[in-house]
Amino acid sequence: MKNPRLQLHLEDLRKQIHYHNYRYHVLDAPVISDLEYDRLLAELKQLESEHPDWITPDSPTQRAGSAPSEKFEKVRHPAPILSLANAFGTEDALAWFERVKKIDDRVERTKFVVEPKIDGLSVVLHYEDGIFIKGATRGDGQVGENITANLRTIRAIPLRIPVARQAEIDESHSKANENPLFSSSPTKNAPNSYMQVPKHMVVRGEVFINIKDFEKLNQRLEESGEKTYLNPRNTAAGSLRQLDPALTATRPLTLLTYQIIYSDGPVPFTQWETLEYLQSLGFPITNSARRFDNIHAAIYFTEKWESQRDKLPFEADGMVIKIDDLRLFADLGVAGKDPRGAIAFKFPAREVSTSLLEIVVNVGRTGVLTPQAVLDPVEIGGVIVERATLHNFDFIAEKDIRPGDRVLVKRAGEVIPYVIGPLKDLRVKVIKPYLPPTTCPTCQQPVEHLEGEVAWYCVNAACPAQLVRNVEHFVSKGAMDITGMGIRIVEQLILEGLIKDVADLYKLDKKSLLKLGGFADKKADNLLRSISESKKQPLNHLLTALGIRGVGEVSAVDLSRVFPSLDSLSSASLENLQNIPGIGPNIAAAIVDWFSRPNNRLLLDKLRKAQVWPVEDLKKTNRKSNALDGLTFVVTGTLVGFNRESIKEFIEQNGGKVTDSVSKKTNYVVLGENPGSKLEKARLLNVQVIGEDDLRIKVVKNA
Ligand code: IVH
């Protein structure tokens, strides 16, 4: 027995849920809390469980309801689902324009719409009387696969159109307050009453995953020990072709629409109005589309997006430039599968696939073994890539990357190219899994693995590969700064047995240098002078040069302020070291460990004998007071009694620290004339601002 009041209430509930779903998933602007939303949904579920025969296919409860299927049925599209021709750059795009202009001179006067080209999967959505009844993949453009159950789980897809508008909801809410059972009237508030929706309508869009959601998904999978996905597109593709919609429902798929494939109602004459119309029905559309009066403006806009593609929330492989006038678009016809009326302006690819020829292992300065991919050379974004990082051996195992695989390689911005993972489907012949080396590839000594660390180490201090990296680091600019000592020379010196550690550099003489290939008189003299000069480097440079794990240029300065020479530092206790500002427990432990090793003790002896033993001038570095102990300062503007160097010295000699930028850790900002943006930052973060006199008073009072 049907209760009309209850049915009306049910309908109102559905309408509200559709609307709030739309606010959340399409507009990204929810107006109620998740809790309120869940309550509405729970109430609807409750009512429907009491009256299962009242459930309609467009009910919001029906998004993830259906059982897994055996296979996907075929669906013939009502019109071909076309692809796009590509343009690689401005010239190509202009050539396209010239070409279509020759075919039809209306092209000269039409407008152009530019939209992001979403790197997702085309889907075709069928609506009957405003209800989502069927959805398909693109397939071959003529026939696709019926993936309705999976598409239903995507919240951005409206299950009924148009989605109720705010005014209508407000109205039903105010009525609901009076009497929930009379909250809507089917004739007045029926969805179709204010907008003509065609009886049959077929819309095309792109299903994809936003980058942030993809990262969250992978994080979640990693935390639960499951396999992570390669990239958003592959994940979206896999999720759409799941036979069990319950699985699809757990993937953060979303949608943007851009084309009407078929409608038996009136349709807009332009692409721009098509987007507006789709939006008014409740379909999600991009907010990055723009319309231009001529091709040049359209191309200019597209070029600008190329450098800003990272601002889009999803992966875009280009922009689509479309002729706005849809009758002209249709009249231009198609060439193969590509409509002549649009062109994909492709951004340089950042992800390409190529063959993994070999995995080589490099030995770093600290003995860490790092696997590197040797690739079949391939162009990524204008650069030929032959090598890419494989991160570490755990990564190779987790992704099951094997030499001989076709792999996806990414190169974006400044980062070193890296392998994302193998394309396992393309593994044709039987290839063996990769096994990490058990011995160092250079010295053949067994490698070691520290509990809880991913890295594998070659712990042989005499390993020539480590020595090359060590010497390279020792002579570098922030360390001993020995100019003229390139990697080739370092390798030669080691190969010829002229150096066995960095201290041996100071034993080199002209005779032995001249024996090396490519050394003439002058070059040898210059190098020897440069080596000799390096003995004058201050302690902090030598400390950096030693390459103690964790001791970089900054902590080397911190240490040399407290310990005037390697004599005092080498006998410092763990506790002593930890108390130095800027030195944490890990660095402190690494220092103690380094000085305890016999090999390093020998090295220190050799350095001392070679007079590479800087001793800091105690008067210069010694503390004047501890008045500013533990305090961090930032200076902005021009001071009266100090210049930039002298205020730094003053603060440091009294125990304080000076940094460049204001953060929450800054204790004081010292303010001078004409301060910069640091002052604003200080105000924003509530950091105390003082003058230079305040600073002096602080020191005098506390000293
Ligand atoms: S228009 C006649 N617009 O790119 C209409 N396609 O490489 C032809 N795509 O198969 C397509 N974003 O899957 C169009 N804003 C957009 C698009 C877009 C992504 C995809 C679509 C198409 C492929 C062509």
Side-chain angles (χ1 to χ4, degrees):
M1 200 183 67
K2 288 200 175 181
N3 173 342
R5 286 184 182 184
L6 201 56
Q7 264 193 311
L8 290 180
H9 178 53
L10 208 67
E11 179 50 28
D12 181 56
L13 263 179
R14 284 178 187 151
K15 202 183 290 175
Q16 285 189 47
I17 295 169
H18 278 309
Y19 176 72
H20 291 303
N21 177 68
Y22 165 78
R23 297 279 324 188
Y24 189 97
H25 291 280
V26 178
L27 300 184
D28 198 13
V31 285
I32 60 170
S33 67
D34 290 0
L35 187 75
E36 286 170 283
Y37 179 86
D38 291 343
R39 272 202 201 124
L40 290 174
L41 198 62
E43 186 186 353
L44 178 64
K45 275 189 189 154
Q46 177 63 28
L47 285 175
E48 284 185 346
S49 71
E50 288 161 16
H51 306 276
D53 50 325
W54 293 359
I55 299 175
T56 55
D58 64 326
S59 170
T61 57
Q62 299 305 297
R63 285 204 181 264
S66 19
S69 55
E70 298 280 298
K71 64 175 186 35
F72 300 116
E73 304 290 323
K74 297 274 179 252
V75 181
R76 180 160 288 280
H77 303 307
I81 304 302
L82 297 173
S83 187
L84 286 170
N86 291 328
F88 299 97
T90 303
E91 253 176 55
D92 274 6
L94 282 173
W96 163 73
F97 172 72
E98 292 300 329
R99 246 182 356 258
V100 284
K101 201 171 73 182
K102 264 193 209 129
I103 300 173
D104 195 320
D105 64 7
R106 282 177 293 167
V107 169
E108 196 129 30
R109 298 177 295 278
T110 182
K111 295 180 177 172
F112 295 86
V113 172
V114 181
E115 301 164 20
K117 182 163 158 14
I118 307 145
D119 202 5
L121 294 114
S122 252
V123 293
V124 184
L125 310 170
H126 295 240
Y127 288 80
E128 209 172 282
D129 295 321
I131 310 280
F132 174 62
I133 52 146
K134 190 164 66 187
T137 61
R138 175 174 184 273
D140 63 1
Q142 307 290 333
V143 176
E145 286 179 317
N146 186 335
I147 51 164
T148 314
N150 289 341
L151 289 171
R152 267 183 193 293
T153 68
I154 303 175
R155 309 251 168 174
I157 296 184
L159 293 182
R160 73 162 69 148
I161 49 168
V163 175
R165 290 173 164 178
Q166 180 63 64
E168 198 186 358
I169 287 287
D170 287 347
E171 200 183 341
S172 68
H173 268 306
S174 60
K175 277 187 185 170
N177 290 341
E178 291 156 22
N179 183 342
L181 296 186
F182 285 97
S183 59
S184 59
S185 106
T187 46
K188 189 163 163 281
N189 279 340
N192 296 359
S193 62
Y194 56 81
M195 181 182 282
Q196 204 61 46
V197 170
K199 186 157 178 54
H200 290 280
M201 183 170 178
V202 181
V203 169
R204 175 181 185 179
E206 204 78 358
V207 168
F208 61 98
I209 296 178
N210 279 313
I211 296 166
K212 278 216 175 85
D213 292 331
F214 174 74
E215 285 167 356
K216 269 193 240 158
L217 170 68
N218 260 353
Q219 209 180 330
R220 215 172 67 213
L221 291 172
E222 204 174 312
E223 278 162 14
S224 59
E226 287 173 74
K227 279 229 154 78
T228 53
Y229 286 103
L230 295 189
N231 62 20
R233 202 198 120 90
N234 286 19
T235 316
S239 310
L240 270 190
R241 299 199 75 261
Q242 282 289 340
L243 287 169
D244 183 359
L247 261 172
T248 311
T250 65
R251 301 293 176 248
L253 298 167
T254 188
L255 167 94
L256 289 173
T257 57
Y258 51 80
Q259 196 188 3
I260 297 169
I261 298 294
Y262 173 83
S263 170
D264 54 13
V267 288
F269 291 131
T270 66
Q271 174 63 12
W272 189 249
E273 282 151 357
T274 300
L275 292 174
E276 284 178 343
Y277 175 58
L278 287 170
Q279 182 173 43
S280 73
L281 291 173
F283 287 104
I285 61 157
T286 171
N287 56 19
S288 304
R290 298 285 181 277
R291 180 158 68 167
F292 298 96
D293 287 337
N294 63 66
I295 187 69
H296 301 288
I299 291 178
Y300 180 71
F301 175 76
T302 305
E303 285 169 341
K304 270 215 315 232
W305 263 113
E306 190 166 321
S307 56
Q308 303 190 353
R309 61 198 283 195
D310 291 326
K311 292 201 176 132
L312 287 168
F314 46 80
E315 303 255 17
D317 51 344
M319 300 295 274
V320 188
I321 303 178
K322 300 178 178 177
I323 283 180
D324 189 38
D325 179 343
L326 291 180
R327 279 171 297 193
L328 172 56
F329 189 106
D331 289 348
L332 282 167
V334 295
K337 285 182 175 178
D338 309 327
R340 291 201 181 84
I343 191 102
F345 190 113
K346 296 281 283 234
F347 295 152
R350 300 204 282 198
E351 228 178 271
V352 300
S353 74
T354 185
S355 294
L356 172 62
L357 303 177
E358 194 190 345
I359 295 177
V360 292
V361 177
N362 293 323
V363 187
R365 179 162 58 82
T366 53
V368 181
L369 305 185
T370 46
Q372 202 182 33
V374 180
L375 305 166
D376 192 6
V378 64
E379 191 201 307
I380 317 182
V383 172
I384 304 287
V385 175
E386 295 178 59
R387 299 254 174 162
T389 176
L390 283 159
H391 307 293
N392 53 57
F393 297 107
D394 280 6
F395 176 78
I396 299 178
E398 193 219 316
K399 298 282 182 200
D400 185 19
I401 300 168
R402 306 180 184 193
D405 264 336
R406 237 188 135 70
V407 288
L408 264 185
V409 182
K410 186 159 184 167
R411 179 187 158 265
E414 297 304 304
V415 295
I416 306 169
Y418 60 97
V419 173
I420 302 178
L423 298 167
K424 288 189 193 156
D425 297 345
L426 300 181
R427 229 177 239 166
V428 273
K429 44 183 198 295
V430 188
I431 49 174
K432 283 194 236 118
Y434 174 75
L435 293 174
T438 50
T439 56
C440 168
T442 307
C443 69
Q444 273 76 43
Q445 297 289 306
V447 296
E448 280 182 24
H449 181 59
L450 293 178
E451 190 63 38
E453 263 192 50
V454 282
W456 285 82
Y457 289 92
C458 165
V459 289
N460 171 19
C463 171
Q466 282 184 56
L467 186 54
V468 175
R469 302 273 162 267
N470 259 315
V471 178
E472 239 186 322
H473 175 73
F474 189 85
V475 304
S476 67
K477 204 157 177 14
M480 299 308 271
D481 194 13
I482 300 178
T483 44
M485 182 75 96
I487 173 109
R488 290 274 137 72
I489 299 177
V490 174
E491 280 170 352
Q492 264 187 319
L493 290 172
I494 293 173
L495 201 73
E496 296 293 324
L498 288 170
I499 55 171
K500 299 218 156 46
D501 58 36
V502 292
D504 287 342
L505 287 172
Y506 296 95
K507 285 192 191 155
L508 291 173
D509 55 21
K510 197 162 168 184
K511 215 169 95 199
S512 44
L513 281 186
L514 287 176
K515 271 191 229 149
L516 299 179
F519 259 97
D521 224 46
K522 190 144 179 239
K523 197 170 161 190
D525 282 341
N526 285 344
L527 183 55
L528 288 172
R529 188 171 332 112
S530 173
I531 292 174
S532 169
E533 280 287 303
S534 77
K535 294 183 185 179
K536 292 188 200 143
Q537 289 290 354
L539 178 60
N540 61 308
H541 278 249
L542 177 59
L543 266 176
T544 307
L546 292 178
I548 302 168
R549 214 182 295 169
V551 180
E553 290 179 34
V554 176
S555 30
V557 171
D558 291 338
L559 289 166
S560 66
R561 231 180 248 140
V562 182
F563 301 100
S565 73
L566 287 177
D567 296 296
S568 53
L569 180 61
S570 62
S571 52
S573 70
L574 191 65
E575 218 185 344
N576 249 338
L577 286 165
Q578 280 182 6
N579 284 335
I580 299 169
I583 305 295
N586 289 341
I587 301 183
I591 295 171
V592 172
D593 177 71
W594 196 90
F595 282 105
S596 73
R597 289 178 183 262
N599 268 342
N600 294 336
R601 288 267 170 198
L602 283 176
L603 179 71
L604 290 177
D605 277 347
K606 282 173 83 174
L607 284 172
R608 190 204 297 270
K609 282 195 189 116
Q611 289 154 351
V612 188
W613 206 258
V615 175
E616 286 306 300
D617 179 355
L618 289 171
K619 274 189 223 109
K620 204 175 120 207
T621 44
N622 242 2
R623 288 270 182 104
K624 293 219 164 91
S625 83
N626 295 331
L628 306 178
D629 241 353
L631 298 177
T632 303
F633 294 81
V634 171
V635 183
T636 179
T638 317
L639 304 172
V640 182
F642 292 107
N643 63 26
R644 273 300 145 108
E645 302 315 320
S646 64
I647 187 146
K648 193 161 182 246
E649 201 175 49
F650 179 74
I651 292 172
E652 287 176 351
Q653 282 178 340
N654 290 292
K657 211 173 152 180
V658 180
T659 61
D660 276 342
S661 57
V662 182
S663 76
K664 273 192 233 138
K665 290 190 185 150
T666 311
N667 298 94
Y668 296 99
V669 166
V670 184
L671 184 65
E673 290 276 339
N674 302 322
S677 61
K678 291 174 188 171
L679 179 61
E680 278 163 45
K681 187 90 188 283
R683 299 230 159 99
L684 207 68
L685 295 175
N686 253 333
V687 174
Q688 203 174 333
V689 179
I690 59 173
E692 56 181 289
D693 287 336
D694 299 332
L695 181 69
R696 283 201 193 86
I697 291 165
K698 243 181 212 312
V699 170
V700 174
K701 267 193 180 167
N702 294 330

